[in-house]
Amino acid sequence: MTPPTAGELTHSKASASRAFTTFAGKVAKWAGHPLAFALGSATVVGWAVSGPFFGYSETWQLVINTGTTIVTFLMVFLIQNSQNRDGAAIQAKLDELIRASAAQNRYIGIENLTEEELDELRRRCETRAQAERLDNAREAADEAEARARDRAKAAAERVG
């Protein structure tokens, strides 16, 4: 038996990744469906109703504790995988919009900055936005003043 080639390993990894991605996406979508909530609620109600039949024993309690712990543990990984992919896809779309527009390309890839660097960048953006709002307000006031002057001049010409 010959060992797999690099190309076969890459293809195998890609296939496994695609299969997990598909599975995780379907599970995450199903978990967010109202029917999944109803099923979970019915399970808890059924467990609670069965308490008297089992004398509220430790085994009875262990069943729900173990079941919910296992489901929660596995769902964390599946949902995180879906969120990571969604986040990466949104980031790629935003990067493409920035690249293709008049926006500044230096913002592409900022998701890799540290929290402190992002906070500083956010502060600089807010400062620039405030300055732009002030500039816009000044321009609007100047335009309103010019229109008022023109109206006053026109009115003076009509009277005089």
Side-chain angles (χ1 to χ4, degrees), residues 126-146:
E126 287 172 0
T127 300
R128 278 199 311 266
Q130 287 173 347
E132 283 182 28
R133 281 195 297 272
L134 285 173
D135 288 346
N136 290 345
R138 285 186 192 114
E139 285 177 23
D142 290 346
E143 289 173 13
E145 185 180 348

Side-chain angles (χ1 to χ4, degrees), residues 84-141:
N84 288 346
R85 281 184 296 103
D86 289 348
I90 289 169
Q91 196 60 53
K93 291 174 185 179
L94 289 172
D95 287 350
E96 179 58 17
L97 287 172
I98 290 169
R99 190 197 61 72
S101 72
Q104 297 176 2
N105 286 343
R106 67 180 175 191
Y107 289 106
I108 293 176
I110 65 170
E111 67 275 6
N112 298 317
L113 297 176
T114 65
E115 196 67 33
E116 293 79 18
E117 291 168 330
L118 283 172
D119 287 342
E120 174 61 27
L121 182 60
R122 197 174 303 117
R123 277 192 292 276
R124 281 192 269 149
C125 286
E126 287 172 0
T127 300
R128 278 199 311 266
Q130 287 173 347
E132 283 182 28
R133 281 195 297 272
L134 285 173
D135 288 346
N136 290 345
R138 285 186 192 114
E139 285 177 23

Side-chain angles (χ1 to χ4, degrees), residues 3 13 20 38 80 103 109:
K13 283 182 184 179
F20 181 75
Q80 187 62 50

Side-chain angles (χ1 to χ4, degrees), residues 37-119:
F37 179 79
L39 180 63
S41 297
T43 301
V44 171
V45 168
W47 169 81
V49 167
S50 71
F53 299 108
F54 293 100
Y56 300 103
S57 69
E58 288 184 16
T59 302
W60 172 79
Q61 293 176 35
L62 186 62
V63 166
I64 196 72
N65 289 339
T66 303
T68 57
T69 300
I70 290 170
V71 168
T72 301
F73 179 77
L74 295 175
M75 289 301 291
V76 164
F77 295 107
L78 291 175
I79 292 171
Q80 187 62 50
N81 174 270
S82 293
Q83 287 181 338
N84 288 346
R85 281 184 296 103
D86 289 348
I90 289 169
Q91 196 60 53
K93 291 174 185 179
L94 289 172
D95 287 350
E96 179 58 17
L97 287 172
I98 290 169
R99 190 197 61 72
S101 72
Q104 297 176 2
N105 286 343
R106 67 180 175 191
Y107 289 106
I108 293 176
I110 65 170
E111 67 275 6
N112 298 317
L113 297 176
T114 65
E115 196 67 33
E116 293 79 18
E117 291 168 330
L118 283 172
D119 287 342

